[in-house]
Amino acid sequence: MVTCSAPGKIYIFGEHAVVYGESAICCAVDLRTRVHAYTSESVVIESVLGKTVIDFDTHPYVSAVIERMREIIPIKGVNIKIDSDLPVGSGLGSSAAVTVATIQALNHLFGCKLALEDIANLGHEIERKVQGAASPTDTYVSTMGGVVMIPERRKLKLIECGIVIGDTRTFSSTRELVANVAKLRGSYPEIIVPLLSTIGKMSHIGEEMVNKKDYASIGNLMNVNHGLLDAAGVGSPELSLLVYAARLKGALGAKITGAGGGGCMVALTDVASNRDVADAIIEAGGDAIITKATEHGVTVESEI
Ligand code: MEV
C-alpha cells in the first residue's frame, strides 16, 4: 500500500486576473488530502462522499485519473481511500489536491516514473477534462508546494506569518464566476481590463515583499486586491463580513481566496493573533481554520 498526500492552496494575489495571463502569487498551505492506494482485483474508490467503482458523478477526479493512467500503464484494479483536511469546493484547491495525490499514488504503485512536472501537467489535464476550464495554478502549486508566482512558475520565499482561513460555508461555482467576470470585462473593457492588470501588478510588486518577508505591506495590498475582486463582482456579503471581522481583530490583511462568490477568505496575521482573528471569523458566522504555508508539495508519506 502507498499513501500520498498533496496540499491545498491560497491566493495571496491574483485569482481571476490569472485567467487573462496576469500574474498571481499562490501559497500551498498545511491542509492536505491523503490518498491510500493498493492493487486489487477491481476498482474501489472510498471517501466521505461514498464507496464507488469508477464513478464520474461521485468521484470525478479520481475516476478521471485512473482512466488516464490506464493509457500509460495497465491497471486492472486498485483500491483507493481518500481523507482530507480541505473543505470541498470552497476555493482551497481540494480537487487539485485529490487529483495530484492520486496521480502520485498510482505513479508509485504501478511504477510509471512520472516526474513532478509530468504530475503537474497531467493534473491540469484532468482538471480541465472534469471542469471544462481550469488554470494550471492549483495543480502546479499542489504538486510543487511553497509560494509560487504563476504563470512564471517561480518559487518565492516561504511565507512565515500566520494564515487564518474563513469559510463562509456557501457554495460557489468557479465556472460561473469566471464567466461573470468575462461578461463584465466584455461589457466594460476600458474599466475591467486595467482592473485585472492592476491585480497582476500587485503580484509583481508583492514578489519582492514576499522575499523580504514584509508581511505588513503584503497585507495592505491584499486589502486592495479584495476591493478590486469585489468591484469585479466576485464578492459576497458573507465574504466581506469575514474579511472585515478579521481586519478589525488586527489581521495584517484579508481578502477573498479563490473564485469568490462564497467559499473562503484568507487573512495574514502575526502568529500571536491567530486565535483572536479565528474567533472573530467564527463570531461573524464562518468556520475558521488556522494554518501555515508549507514547502511540501505532493509527497509519498509511506509505502509498505
Ligand atoms: C479559482 O480558484 C481561481 C480562478 O482564478 C480560476 C482559475 O484560475 O482557474 C478564479
Side-chain angles (χ1 to χ4, degrees):
M1 178 157 91
V2 62
T3 297
C4 291
S5 73
K9 62 96 204 31
I10 53 160
Y11 274 89
I12 302 293
F13 305 113
E15 51 274 269
H16 288 286
V18 75
V19 174
Y20 299 93
E22 300 290 348
S23 294
I25 296 180
C26 269
C27 170
V29 290
D30 202 17
L31 301 166
R32 304 186 74 83
T33 294
R34 280 161 295 275
V35 170
H36 315 275
Y38 58 87
T39 51
S40 77
E41 285 303 302
S42 59
V43 173
V44 179
I45 310 167
E46 201 177 341
S47 74
V48 286
L49 303 172
K51 192 170 179 177
T52 70
V53 292
I54 291 225
D55 177 338
F56 283 88
D57 290 323
T58 311
H59 293 121
Y61 296 96
V62 174
S63 298
V65 170
I66 295 169
E67 291 218 325
R68 181 65 180 84
M69 296 286 278
R70 276 178 163 163
E71 292 170 18
I72 302 172
I73 202 146
I75 299 175
K76 184 170 171 234
V78 62
N79 191 301
I80 289 180
K81 200 167 173 199
I82 302 145
D83 65 81
S84 184
D85 308 327
L86 290 159
V88 174
S90 54
L92 299 180
S94 60
S95 56
V98 75
T99 301
V100 162
T102 305
I103 296 172
Q104 183 64 302
L106 298 187
N107 186 31
H108 264 257
L109 208 51
F110 296 100
C112 301
K113 298 194 170 66
L114 297 177
L116 286 182
E117 285 286 339
D118 303 325
I119 293 173
N121 291 337
L122 203 54
H124 181 216
E125 183 189 320
I126 302 285
E127 275 217 317
R128 265 204 328 260
K129 184 178 170 206
V130 175
Q131 290 169 203
S135 77
T137 316
D138 289 18
T139 38
Y140 189 82
V141 176
S142 190
T143 304
M144 303 299 175
V147 181
V148 186
M149 182 108 162
I150 298 284
E152 294 82 354
R153 299 191 166 193
R154 198 157 53 235
K155 273 261 186 137
L156 312 186
K157 281 229 171 89
L158 196 67
I159 286 176
E160 285 170 345
C161 64
I163 298 174
V164 183
I165 292 166
D167 187 351
T168 61
R169 291 188 304 251
T170 52
F171 175 76
S172 71
S173 153
T174 300
R175 189 194 284 248
E176 237 171 67
L177 286 147
V178 169
N180 291 350
V181 173
K183 196 163 165 230
L184 197 68
R185 185 173 174 269
S187 303
Y188 309 105
E190 299 87 347
I191 308 294
I192 303 302
V193 171
L195 184 153
L196 294 168
S197 137
T198 301
I199 292 178
K201 279 182 197 138
M202 273 182 215
S203 303
H204 286 285
I205 296 171
E207 178 177 13
E208 202 185 325
M209 294 171 179
V210 171
N211 286 337
K212 281 188 173 159
K213 301 181 190 273
D214 180 0
Y215 303 122
S217 300
I218 295 169
N220 286 338
L221 280 192
M222 283 172 70
N223 291 342
V224 178
N225 194 164
H226 178 78
L228 293 182
L229 287 169
D230 209 22
V234 301
S236 78
E238 293 85 358
L239 278 166
S240 281
L241 260 178
L242 305 192
V243 161
Y244 280 94
R247 286 183 199 164
L248 285 170
K249 269 288 174 218
L252 301 168
K255 62 179 273 294
I256 291 163
T257 183
C264 288
M265 50 70 68
V266 63
L268 292 196
T269 62
D270 289 331
V271 175
S273 47
N274 268 353
R275 191 64 259 166
D276 287 347
V277 170
D279 287 344
I281 286 170
I282 293 166
E283 252 172 58
D287 287 338
I289 309 171
I290 296 174
T291 185
K292 60 183 190 313
T294 178
E295 283 291 8
H296 300 294
V298 68
T299 303
V300 180
E301 306 249 346
S302 66
E303 206 166 3
I304 46 170

